[in-house]
Coordinates of all heavy atoms in Angstrom, one line a residue:
Chain A
V31 N 29.5 49.1 38.4 CA 28.8 48.3 37.1 C 29.6 48.8 35.8 O 29.8 48.0 34.9 CB 27.4 48.6 37.1 CG1 26.7 47.9 36.0 CG2 26.8 48.0 38.4
W32 N 29.6 50.1 35.7 CA 30.2 50.7 34.5 C 31.6 50.1 34.1 O 32.0 49.7 33.1 CB 30.3 52.1 34.4 CG 31.0 52.8 33.3 CD1 32.3 53.0 33.2 CD2 30.4 53.2 32.1 NE1 32.7 53.6 32.0 CE2 31.5 53.7 31.2 CE3 29.0 53.1 31.6 CZ2 31.2 54.2 29.9 CZ3 28.9 53.7 30.3 CH2 29.8 54.1 29.6
K33 N 32.5 50.1 35.2 CA 33.8 49.6 35.2 C 33.9 48.0 34.7 O 34.5 47.7 33.9 CB 34.4 49.8 36.6 CG 35.9 49.5 36.7 CD 36.3 50.0 38.1 CE 37.4 49.0 38.6 NZ 38.4 49.5 39.3
V34 N 33.1 47.2 35.5 CA 33.1 45.8 35.3 C 32.5 45.6 33.9 O 32.9 44.5 33.2 CB 32.2 45.3 36.5 CG1 31.8 43.8 36.1 CG2 33.0 45.3 37.7
W35 N 31.6 46.4 33.5 CA 30.9 46.3 32.0 C 32.0 46.5 31.0 O 31.9 45.9 30.0 CB 29.7 47.2 32.0 CG 28.9 46.7 30.7 CD1 29.1 47.3 29.5 CD2 27.9 45.9 30.6 NE1 28.2 46.8 28.7 CE2 27.4 45.9 29.3 CE3 27.3 45.0 31.6 CZ2 26.4 45.2 28.9 CZ3 26.2 44.1 31.0 CH2 25.8 44.3 29.8
N36 N 33.0 47.3 31.3 CA 33.7 47.9 30.1 C 35.2 47.4 30.0 O 35.8 47.4 29.1 CB 33.7 49.4 30.0 CG 32.3 49.7 29.5 OD1 31.8 49.4 28.4 ND2 31.6 50.6 30.2
E37 N 35.7 47.2 31.2 CA 37.2 46.7 31.3 C 37.4 45.3 31.0 O 36.8 44.3 31.7 CB 37.7 47.2 32.7 CG 37.8 48.7 32.9 CD 38.4 49.1 34.2 OE1 38.8 48.4 35.1 OE2 38.3 50.4 34.4
P38 N 38.2 45.1 30.0 CA 38.5 43.6 29.6 C 38.7 42.6 30.6 O 38.0 41.5 30.7 CB 39.4 43.6 28.6 CG 39.5 45.1 28.1 CD 39.0 45.8 29.2
E39 N 39.5 42.9 31.7 CA 39.8 42.0 32.6 C 38.6 41.5 33.5 O 38.5 40.4 33.9 CB 41.1 42.3 33.6 CG 40.8 43.7 34.5 CD 41.0 44.9 33.7 OE1 41.0 45.0 32.4 OE2 41.4 45.9 34.4
H40 N 37.6 42.5 33.6 CA 36.4 42.2 34.3 C 35.3 41.5 33.4 O 34.8 40.6 33.9 CB 35.8 43.5 34.8 CG 36.5 44.1 35.9 ND1 36.8 43.5 37.1 CD2 37.1 45.4 36.1 CE1 37.4 44.3 38.0 NE2 37.5 45.4 37.3
V41 N 35.3 41.9 32.2 CA 34.4 41.3 31.2 C 34.7 39.8 31.1 O 33.7 39.1 31.0 CB 34.5 42.1 29.8 CG1 33.8 41.3 28.8 CG2 34.2 43.5 29.8
A42 N 35.8 39.5 31.1 CA 36.3 38.2 31.0 C 35.7 37.3 32.1 O 35.5 36.0 31.9 CB 37.8 37.9 31.0
K43 N 35.3 37.9 33.2 CA 34.8 37.1 34.4 C 33.3 36.9 34.3 O 32.9 36.0 35.1 CB 35.1 38.1 35.6 CG 36.7 38.2 36.1 CD 37.2 36.9 36.7 CE 38.6 37.0 36.8 NZ 39.2 38.0 37.6
W44 N 32.6 37.6 33.4 CA 31.2 37.3 33.5 C 30.5 37.3 32.2 O 29.4 36.7 32.0 CB 30.6 38.4 34.3 CG 30.7 39.8 33.7 CD1 31.6 40.7 34.0 CD2 29.9 40.5 32.7 NE1 31.6 41.8 33.2 CE2 30.5 41.7 32.4 CE3 28.8 40.0 32.0 CZ2 30.1 42.6 31.3 CZ3 28.2 40.9 30.9 CH2 28.8 42.0 30.7
S45 N 31.0 37.8 31.1 CA 30.4 37.9 29.7 C 30.1 36.5 29.2 O 31.1 35.7 29.0 CB 31.1 38.9 28.9 OG 30.3 39.0 27.7
G46 N 29.0 36.3 28.6 CA 28.8 35.1 27.8 C 28.1 34.1 28.6 O 28.1 34.1 29.9
P47 N 27.3 33.2 28.0 CA 26.6 32.1 28.8 C 27.7 31.2 29.5 O 28.9 31.2 29.2 CB 25.8 31.3 27.8 CG 26.0 32.0 26.6 CD 27.2 33.0 26.5
K48 N 27.2 30.4 30.6 CA 28.1 29.5 31.3 C 28.8 28.7 30.4 O 28.2 28.1 29.4 CB 27.3 28.7 32.3 CG 26.9 29.6 33.4 CD 26.0 28.9 34.6 CE 25.6 29.8 35.6 NZ 24.5 30.6 35.3
G49 N 30.1 28.4 30.6 CA 30.9 27.4 29.7 C 31.5 28.1 28.7 O 32.1 27.5 27.9
T50 N 31.3 29.5 28.5 CA 32.0 30.1 27.5 C 33.0 31.2 28.1 O 32.8 31.6 29.3 CB 31.0 31.0 26.6 OG1 30.5 32.0 27.3 CG2 30.0 30.1 26.0
T51 N 33.9 31.5 27.4 CA 34.8 32.6 27.9 C 35.1 33.6 26.8 O 35.1 33.1 25.6 CB 36.3 32.0 28.3 OG1 36.8 31.3 27.3 CG2 36.2 31.2 29.6
I52 N 35.4 34.9 27.3 CA 35.4 35.9 26.1 C 36.9 36.4 26.2 O 37.3 36.7 27.3 CB 34.4 37.0 26.2 CG1 33.1 36.4 26.1 CG2 34.7 38.2 25.4 CD1 32.0 37.2 25.2
T53 N 37.4 36.4 25.0 CA 38.9 37.2 25.1 C 38.8 38.4 24.2 O 38.4 38.3 23.0 CB 39.9 36.1 24.4 OG1 39.7 34.9 24.9 CG2 41.2 36.6 24.6
V54 N 39.1 39.5 24.6 CA 39.1 40.8 23.9 C 40.5 40.8 23.3 O 41.5 40.9 23.9 CB 38.9 41.9 24.8 CG1 38.9 43.2 23.9 CG2 37.4 41.8 25.4
S55 N 40.5 40.7 21.9 CA 41.8 40.7 21.2 C 42.3 42.1 20.8 O 43.5 42.3 20.7 CB 41.8 39.8 20.0 OG 41.0 40.3 19.0
K56 N 41.4 42.8 20.7 CA 41.7 44.4 20.5 C 40.8 45.3 21.1 O 39.5 45.1 21.0 CB 41.8 44.5 18.8 CG 42.1 45.9 18.3 CD 42.0 46.2 17.0 CE 42.3 47.7 16.5 NZ 41.1 48.2 16.0
L57 N 41.2 46.3 21.7 CA 40.2 47.3 22.3 C 40.7 48.8 22.1 O 41.8 49.0 22.5 CB 40.0 47.0 23.8 CG 39.1 47.9 24.5 CD1 37.6 47.8 24.1 CD2 39.1 47.6 26.1
D58 N 39.9 49.5 21.5 CA 40.1 50.8 21.3 C 38.8 51.6 21.9 O 37.9 51.8 21.1 CB 40.3 51.3 19.9 CG 40.7 52.7 19.6 OD1 41.0 53.4 20.6 OD2 40.8 53.1 18.5
F59 N 38.7 51.8 23.2 CA 37.5 52.2 23.8 C 37.3 53.8 23.7 O 37.8 54.6 24.6 CB 37.5 51.9 25.4 CG 36.3 51.8 26.0 CD1 35.2 51.2 25.6 CD2 36.2 52.7 27.1 CE1 33.9 51.5 26.4 CE2 34.9 53.1 27.7 CZ 33.8 52.3 27.4

Side-chain angles (χ1 to χ4, degrees):
Chain A
V31 174
W32 175 272
K33 189 176 142 139
V34 163
W35 189 271
N36 291 305
E37 292 178 5
E39 65 272 30
H40 289 300
V41 173
K43 296 280 170 58
W44 61 267
S45 187
K48 287 183 183 74
T50 65
T51 51
I52 296 224
T53 316
V54 175
S55 68
K56 183 185 171 246
L57 177 68
D58 185 9
F59 192 61

